[in-house]
Amino acid sequence: MLVMAGNVIRANGRGKVLNRGKTLNADRDIPLPDWCVALLVRRRATAKNRDGPIFPSSTGTVLEASNVRNRAWRPFVAHAGYEWGDLPDVPQDGRHPPRR
């Protein structure tokens, strides 16, 4: 089980900040398959900073969403053989598909 307790947003004039959400529904449990939980637990156990992000940047901070989209997601989609438009882009908030 993954506990979602907020997300990181870029706030004008403040940089990256933790957004805890507006409602009680912002904190929620997300069920994950056992194999995924096992991978995340192993990754956390071997992390340099066990209180930091599970997937940190090269400097140990939270990854920039635009970097994940441009450096990981889009190359993955291209390598997997999908054409533009076959798969939705990574949503800005990580939860909802982009509005068309």
Side-chain angles (χ1 to χ4, degrees):
M1 184 74 62
L2 176 71
V3 177
M4 180 73 168
N7 63 342
V8 176
I9 61 171
R10 180 165 289 286
N12 288 335
R14 295 175 43 204
K16 290 184 276 189
V17 295
L18 181 60
N19 174 27
R20 293 283 183 192
K22 297 178 184 175
T23 68
L24 294 176
N25 291 332
D27 288 347
R28 62 195 175 282
D29 294 341
I30 301 172
L32 296 172
D34 292 341
W35 65 264
C36 186
V37 172
L39 287 172
L40 292 171
V41 167
R42 275 199 310 268
R43 184 163 177 94
R44 170 62 73 206
T46 61
K48 291 180 183 177
N49 178 2
R50 295 187 67 189
D51 294 324
I54 293 175
F55 299 99
S57 69
S58 60
T59 59
T61 60
V62 175
L63 292 167
E64 288 283 347
S66 61
N67 286 344
V68 173
R69 278 191 303 276
N70 295 329
R71 297 178 186 171
W73 179 249
R74 289 184 179 139
F76 162 77
V77 170
H79 183 75
Y82 290 98
E83 297 292 329
W84 182 88
D86 288 349
L87 287 176
D89 201 0
V90 174
Q92 294 291 327
D93 64 5
R95 298 179 302 175
H96 305 292
R99 293 192 176 118
R100 299 203 184 266

